[in-house]
Amino acid sequence: MSALHQPAETLPRRERIVLNLYAITGLVVLVLMMLGGVAMRMAQGTWIELPPDLFYQIMTAHGAAMVGIAGLTSSAVMWYFLRQYVRLSTGIFLANYVLFMIGAVLILGSIFALQYGGGWTFLYPLPVKSNGMWSVHAAAGFMLGFLLIGVGFVLFYLDATLAILRVYGNLGRALGLQWLFGGAIDKSHPPTVVASAMVIIVNGLGTLCGAVVLVLCLVNAYVPAFELNALLAKNMTYFFGHVFINATIYMGVIAVYELLPRYSGRPWGVSRPFLWAWAASTVMVLIVYPHHLLMDFVMPSWILVMGQIISFTNGMPVLVVTAYGALTNVHRSGMRWSMPAKLLLLSMFGWAAGVIPAIIDGIISVNRVMHNTLWVPGHFHFYLLLGLWAMLFGFMYHLIRTRADEPDSAVDRLGFLAYLVGGLGFSGMLLMAGRASVPRRWAVHLPEWVPYAQASSLAAILVVLATIVFAVRIISGLLRAPDVGTAH
Ligand code: HEM
């Protein structure tokens, strides 16, 4: 039996169907929302016309769906590997999917049927102060949709928590905290369990916080006399948003720990620096969110200073141990550069390079100038396209491989190149526009800004074409035969 084919991963039919639902939904939504993204960028580049209200509806749907689907698809990675070590419930995993879909229908209905266009960050009190553009019901439908999606995630994390507690006793032991200061580390302790414990803690708290602020906003929508403290609501919203999108990469990176060793033929064991890194990032991810509030002068200064300092260090520990670990894992391993391996390695680059603009923007003096420019979408498109989605595509390409030595097709190789070049060009042009102070979230751009939008539209089209190639290959692979997709 080859290193790629491990019996523990063989999925029963029901589990395979649910996993396919996650993967296929993720890919279809990704492609559709990318097309929406291209439409927005082409409109900013004056190549097509989008009335501003439609632009903001597309922007709201694009932001909400892209963040949601990134969370959903990454949770499939966590579920798929974590279930090899602890007993997870397929019913709960399916319930998460169903709640997500109901939430998505509510969100899309409130956007495209009821014209909600307030942005995915639903910042209090803006959703219900639309200046007559949309009704209170539209805003409430949007927020209720988010709430249902949050409930699904909380259920999934509760199930994962119970399963981990049954095997490891508590989350601290799952994180490996008992080995931080000494003692012989159990080398067989799975990195997947460490990462999952971290995600459960941070995203459990983040999602719960998001749910609380959403319920409060929903009450306010129908009982305006019930007013919220706007600053507190903003803190809660950004705490939730920041942690949620960060958790996607911490779930996705499990694919790197599990799969790269199978392609390189070398194990990826836990070490003290690895455990320290995950422990440190657990704390820092929870306290870094104030870097989204650097322009809120009413925030206590010490919180903003903390936001700046933690921005420098937040993702670093996990990123460094993972990127360094990945490089040493594959260095001179004689590994064949098949699609899963290439995509997983690309994800290390995308993640590492994509955080650099965020660190720069986390500096208070820079943030004053850059924050509401396209620099910010430049940063997150970089690490989400070339980091997170590269991990997720790598995982899915692995699922559809039937043999360890299966060669890549010419179409795959071309798709990989187009994705890399297009991804770099698209996010690079957003960063360049940000550097030139082009504001974000403007439906109509001044003539001086149009060339950036046109250049990044061309690159974006390349990304979409490559993603369509990946999606068609993966979906047809997953559907091809009952034993394909999960036989290894
Ligand atoms: C071909 C790929 C993509 C294209 C062309 C695209 C395009 C865009 C554009 C034009 C905007 C609005 C920028 C502005 O003027 O402020 C935007 C915003 C955004 N995009 Fe994308 N995008 C793509 C992929 C993604 C992916 C993969 C994700 C996440 C996984 C994502 C998440 C977001 C988010 C969260 C926003 C912010 C929305 C807001 O400001 O409320 N996008 N995108």
Side-chain angles (χ1 to χ4, degrees), residues 101-144:
M101 295 312 280
I102 301 173
V105 169
L106 271 172
I107 289 174
L108 293 179
S110 55
I111 294 174
F112 294 113
L114 302 178
Q115 279 84 44
Y116 178 75
W120 83 277
T121 40
F122 62 84
L123 204 53
Y124 172 87
L126 298 180
V128 290
K129 298 249 185 286
S130 71
N131 265 340
M133 295 294 288
W134 58 81
S135 65
V136 167
H137 305 309
F142 184 83
M143 293 192 283
L144 192 62

Side-chain angles (χ1 to χ4, degrees), residues 266-287:
R266 290 180 181 158
W268 191 318
V270 294
S271 60
R272 225 179 297 285
F274 180 90
L275 297 173
W276 264 107
W278 277 91
S281 285
T282 305
V283 177
M284 289 193 280
V285 166
L286 294 175
I287 55 176

Side-chain angles (χ1 to χ4, degrees), residues 13-30:
R13 190 179 140 75
R14 199 165 76 105
E15 279 71 7
R16 181 166 42 76
I17 293 173
V18 180
L19 180 70
N20 284 357
L21 278 178
Y22 271 73
I24 295 171
T25 308
L27 291 168
V28 171
V29 173
L30 178 70

